[in-house]
Amino acid sequence: MGWALVAAAEPHHSKGWIKRFDPRFWTIDFARPMMASIDASGPQALRVDAVFYNRDDLAGLIWEAEDRWDHPLLAYESSRDFRHVQWRFRWRSGGVKPLDALHGPTLTIEGRDAAGHPRAWYVRLWNYAAGSGEDAVVTLDFDNLAGGFLHPGEADPLWAGDIDRMFISLVPPSYDGAAGVLAAAAEGWAEMSDIACTGSGSVLAIGDAVLPEQALGLTNGYDDCYHMTPARVVRQIVQLGYRGDVVHYVGMSHYMRLEPLGGGHYASLAGGTLATPCRAWHAAFAARCRDAGLVIIWSLSYELFDAYCWNDWKQRDAGGAPALTGWSPPSTLLSPAHAGAMGYLQLVARAFVAIARDAGLAVKFQAGEPWWWTNAGGQLCAYDAATRAALGGASIAIADIRGPQDAEARAMLDALGALLAVSTAALVAAARHEAGGAWAGSHLLVFLPTVLDAAAPELRRANVPAGWAAPAFDVLQLEDYDWVTAGRGGETAGARALMVARLGYPVAEQHYFAGFVLNAADRAQWAAIADAADAARGAGVARAFVWALPQVARDGFVAFDGEEDAMQAFDAVDFPLAIGREALVVTEFSTQIIAAPSGHEQRASEWAEARMRYDAGPGIRSEQDVRCLADFFRARRGAARAFRFRDPFDHGSAADGGPPGATDQWLGIGDGVRRQFALVKRYGSGDAVQQRAIRLPVAGSVRVSVDGIETAAFSMTAAGEVLFDAAPAPGAAVRAGFLFDVPVRFAEDRLEAGRATFLAGELASVPLIEVRAPW
């Protein structure tokens, strides 16, 4: 798989044109606890649905001069000059303040005045409307527009030459600026239709790249894209080359209805299961995916926004503290033993499945990362009242879940696993029942760094229960982004094997989730994510996915399948050793040298490492060698496939060329967390030292030491790296010795051999050339 990060659109990238205020590219935003969504309901129309819980709730319908949400290849151009723009639309609304009311829909414009000073204008739309407060045509000429409530006395002329963004405010009918909780949720809506934008400033360029279809899958999350139109989201998915299944996490903070209690708001079933804006958004999303040929895997987790979660629904540790994740503000985990919490989750699953079914989609459902949480200090969150009651006498005090556990603790963990398995089975059963004939399969997503935490080895009894064993789910999906972005991706292969042994899903019936990059400053982590996805595909998983669309768009990540993958084809087989021992060896660099007329030179070294060339011809001593070589050449398809070659002069870590020792080469310093260390060999000393990455160690030859003491508590990853059973202590020096091979290919697609010349003592030429390691 090839990949790249696109920082910004370039002049040569494919472009199209849109009218300013295209309905697909508006966004909506608001403060909790209210909820709103936006949909491009037609080519010149958009609709906002909203639900208000407080008297002072306000939603903003937003147009930004700079496209901050689309992938750089698909974004519209930044144009802050709104002069010579005329905008006209029909406004209809219900359940919100009307146009003609105090605090009615107001267009707030943020930018700078003609002198460059930041400021805002507040344009009352009613001043430019013809019709009624809930059904009117609004006409705005940005060259002749003014803020202020009453015109002309309070008119505040707009300077339209430098605008950052603008938004239309929507508030509940009772809004008067005062705080307070509404006695009952107030639902409202607004529509803009017949949207027309004219004038010389009305047209914007937009990226219109369409990447080829690729094998890598994509994930998405509603909590990250609730503010965008479904049309905008699906456009990015399709044009970035993602096809087939799209994993859509319905989130943990935006789908629910709420009811007030004691100054807060809590998940509610009053009036239905899903908030009206959420239901409207997902219905449009499902329809867009269907029309684009995409199938949604609906992902629902046991995670819920803590502020919205009923106290008795939460997992709790022995001290009564709720399970709280590291997000800010935090989410919590629902107790699998609480009938009310699990019943609510099942209704949520049914609601989303019904949306998919009614849209004509095949229904695929994922139970996303269900587990028993552990708070700081190893405090297991399995002591809420419902769990204690369900376990009865099996509920015992576990002071710290880390490290070895006694028989009673293990029995309790097994019982917790059984509770978790029963709850996920009931969740899947509810989804399957709702789907009816549209049912297309169940998925289980497991986050490996948590459920297989090396510090708490017995916790997997609770978090990878036997009740999940095949065929409980149709597909097992594994995720490990904490390992990947921390440089610990080598742990995945062993974890995958353990999951196969424990649950019985063969690798070919698994999916793998690579990523994600939480912060834009860490975009370099995409290299490790792409490598991890490639490794999973190489291991034979049915599909690899990248998490997630918002980060893909933010960082400009693009992936593509192509000839590069075939060019990196590698067979893990040895070149005939006997023939290779007599090979001629050439070590080469690439240096650009520019000579001045005076004789002075400028030299630029283009390669960080040397590249090796070999001629294995001198090793051919018999007709049997010729036959052996011809057989090997055919199996490699000439130069098409690389293989292992033993350099006759440099194939070990020892400086004197002798057997490897455990302290030969320095690999790094332990930090108490890192378990994975790459093998390297150094040449030279001081500032001139050259470091060579060793990718093909000889099996059984690697010896490792920690602070000078040799250890056997390690394994080798598929990428040829050392993976310790336990992380070396902070400050501990990690060293290793090894034998190694070089990845090479035949330099030519021809192999010449003649009996006459061979018997006459004429040497054949068999050139080989080193390739960069294909992983």
Side-chain angles (χ1 to χ4, degrees), residues 58-59 91 93 96-108 122-127 133-134 148-149 167-177:
L58 182 149
W91 176 272
S93 64
V96 299
K97 282 275 191 183
L99 290 169
D100 56 348
L102 180 65
H103 304 302
T106 299
L107 178 64
T108 298
Y122 305 96
V123 179
R124 188 187 184 202
L125 292 181
W126 180 245
N127 289 333
E134 293 186 332
F149 187 76
F167 65 89
I168 298 174
S169 56
L170 300 172
V171 298
S174 59
Y175 183 94
D176 59 6

Side-chain angles (χ1 to χ4, degrees), residues 196-247:
C197 188
T198 58
S200 60
S202 67
V203 176
L204 300 176
I206 187 170
D208 198 27
V210 181
L211 274 63
E213 181 177 344
Q214 52 163 307
L216 188 65
L218 187 68
T219 65
N220 187 41
Y222 183 52
D223 288 344
D224 293 324
C225 67
Y226 67 89
H227 61 296
M228 293 190 285
T229 66
R232 190 176 194 172
V233 173
V234 174
R235 173 180 181 262
Q236 293 195 73
I237 294 171
V238 171
Q239 294 196 209
L240 291 176
Y242 299 99
R243 298 291 188 273
D245 292 343
V246 174
V247 179

